[in-house]
Amino acid sequence: MIRTLLPASLALLLAATTASAQDQAQPPAQAPAQDRPTYGPRLEGYDYPFPVQTYAFESQRQALEMTYMDVAPTGPANGRTALLLHGKNFCAATWAPTIRVLAQAGFRVIAVDQIGFCKASKPAAYQFSLPQLATNTKALLDSLNIDRPVIVGHSMGGMLAARFAIQHPDAVEHLVLVNPIGLEDWQAEGVPYAPLDAAYANERRTTFDSIKAYQQKVYYDGQWRPEYDEPVAMLAGMYAGPGGDAVAWNQAQTSDMIFTQPIAHEFGRIAAPTTLIIGGTDRTAPGANRASPEIQARLGQYPALGRRTAEAIPDATLIDFPDLGHAPQTQDPDRFHAALLKALD
C-alpha cells in the first residue's frame, strides 16, 4: 500500500480547485420523481462544465459522433495531455473536478463520451467491443494530434483504458486505473449470461431510485451523500426522457460487452507505467446478482483484486484507499487528486 502525503504546494493547488465536502453547500432535498429532470438521448438539456466538441467519423457503415471536452491548461503548461475515460454509469461531465485540478497542474485535458453514452451517438445497430471503442478513441486522439497522453480510466473506463494500452502500447505515457472493472472474469467465475433481450428489458426498468440503491450498496458501502445525487439524476434523466429506448438498448449492449470480453487474463501485456488507485470498500461485479450467493460472496473483492492486478502488470504501483469505494474521486476528491498528481509527477 502506498500512503500519499500532501505537500504544502499541492495543498494550495487543491484548495484553489476543489472544496472539501464539509465546506460545500448542501444541495436541496431530493426532488420527487415527477419533478426530476429528463434529458434527450444525447443528454440534451444537460449542460457540461466546459464547451462540448464533436468528433464525427465513419464506423461500421454509419456516421457517428463522439463528444469531448478539450480543456487548456490554466496553470503553467507542462506540455502533457491527460485523457479521461468515464465509467458505464458516468459521463465525461462527472470528471469536472479532476479536469480543473489537472488543468491547473499544467495538463491539457480531454474528457470523452464514448459511442453509446451521454452526449455521443446512440446507434440502433452497433457491434460494441472494447477494441472498437479503443480504436475510436485512438482516431479521436489522432485527429487532435495527440501522441502519448496520460490515460486515466474509471470503472468501465479503466477496463477500456487497459485494452487501449494493450492495443496501442506506444500511445500511452502513463496509465491510471481508478477502481476499474474487469479485474476478474465474471463469466469464468460462474456468473450466468444474460441474453441481450433480457438485459434490455431490465434496463428499461431503470429509475433514479434503482440506480441509487445499486450504487449505495455496491459503490459506497451502504452510505450516501447529497453530492452523489447529480450523476445519478443525469443518468436517470436519459432513461426517463424521449430517447429512453435507445439509451437502454445501448446500455444493454455495453453490459454485454464488458461481461463477454474479459481483460483480466491479459494484464501482463500492459507495457506502460501503470498506477492502480483502489477504493477498498468497492464491491462492483457486473452480473453478480444473477449468480448464487456463494459465487456472489467471492466477487468484487477489490482489496485482493487490486493487489493481484498490480502483481500482474509488469510496471504497476498500487495506491490503496481502504476506506473509500468505487469512486474515490467523488468520495474524497482532495485525497484522490493528491495521489493522482503525485503518481503523474
Side-chain angles (χ1 to χ4, degrees):
M1 179 179 72
I2 296 178
R3 301 182 186 274
T4 306
L5 301 178
L6 185 61
S9 60
L10 187 54
L12 291 174
L13 171 62
L14 293 174
T17 52
T18 59
S20 65
Q22 57 266 36
D23 292 336
Q24 293 176 2
Q26 292 299 308
Q30 182 179 305
Q34 64 270 22
D35 295 332
R36 294 191 190 114
T38 59
Y39 303 114
R42 294 186 60 174
L43 206 47
E44 294 92 343
Y46 187 94
D47 293 332
Y48 272 21
F50 302 97
V52 176
Q53 301 189 50
T54 299
Y55 171 60
F57 64 108
E58 296 282 332
S59 179
Q60 299 183 18
R61 302 177 63 191
Q62 59 191 305
L64 297 173
E65 293 180 343
M66 293 173 70
T67 49
Y68 63 98
M69 293 174 286
D70 186 349
V71 181
T74 55
N78 61 19
R80 302 165 76 189
T81 298
L83 171 70
L84 308 183
L85 302 180
H86 63 79
K88 185 176 182 296
N89 293 326
F90 302 85
C91 293
T94 57
W95 280 117
T98 303
I99 293 171
R100 294 187 179 99
V101 167
L102 288 172
Q104 189 160 353
F107 288 85
R108 177 186 180 183
V109 186
I110 310 293
V112 178
D113 279 335
Q114 296 292 334
I115 294 299
F117 294 90
C118 307
K119 288 189 176 292
S121 296
K122 304 295 185 302
Y126 199 64
Q127 183 175 326
F128 281 95
S129 72
L130 293 168
Q132 177 69 71
L133 296 188
T135 297
N136 298 348
T137 303
K138 181 63 165 62
L140 167 63
L141 292 174
D142 289 345
S143 77
L144 298 173
N145 296 313
I146 296 171
D147 294 324
R148 295 183 70 245
V150 168
I151 300 182
V152 183
H154 170 238
S155 191
M156 183 202 76
M159 192 177 190
L160 173 59
R163 174 56 65 197
F164 185 102
I166 292 169
Q167 195 165 315
H168 305 287
D170 297 327
V172 184
E173 178 196 333
H174 193 113
L175 184 66
V176 181
L177 306 178
V178 183
N179 279 75
I181 62 170
L183 301 186
E184 56 193 338
D185 183 342
W186 309 291
Q187 193 162 214
E189 292 288 345
V191 176
Y193 175 72
L196 265 175
D197 290 334
Y200 167 71
N202 186 59
E203 293 285 354
R204 286 305 287 134
R205 292 190 290 269
T206 298
T207 65
F208 179 98
D209 291 334
S210 69
I211 298 170
K212 177 180 175 179
Y214 170 78
Q215 294 191 4
Q216 184 171 7
K217 176 183 177 181
V218 176
Y219 289 3
Y220 299 116
D221 196 28
Q223 307 300 310
W224 196 259
R225 298 207 303 255
E227 58 263 37
Y228 302 162
D229 281 347
E230 184 175 350
V232 174
M234 179 169 50
L235 184 60
M238 286 191 291
Y239 280 101
D245 284 343
V247 172
W249 178 240
N250 282 176
Q251 288 289 307
Q253 290 175 294
T254 51
S255 292
D256 188 90
M257 172 186 76
I258 62 178
F259 186 76
T260 61
Q261 299 175 29
I263 198 166
H265 314 294
E266 299 183 63
F267 287 135
R269 299 177 61 197
I270 295 176
T274 301
T275 300
L276 280 157
I277 301 179
I278 299 295
T281 68
D282 188 8
R283 291 298 177 265
T284 303
N289 60 307
R290 302 192 296 267
S292 68
E294 293 76 18
I295 292 174
Q296 290 186 43
R298 68 171 184 257
L299 297 177
Q301 299 294 326
Y302 266 78
L305 291 172
R307 291 190 295 270
R308 188 172 75 190
T309 304
E311 292 171 357
I313 297 174
D315 185 6
T317 299
L318 174 64
I319 298 176
D320 185 13
F321 291 134
D323 58 325
L324 300 181
H326 188 66
Q329 72 273 27
T330 300
Q331 277 187 282
D332 195 334
D334 287 353
R335 236 193 321 165
F336 171 79
H337 290 130
L340 176 63
L341 291 179
K342 185 174 181 180
L344 298 180
D345 186 7

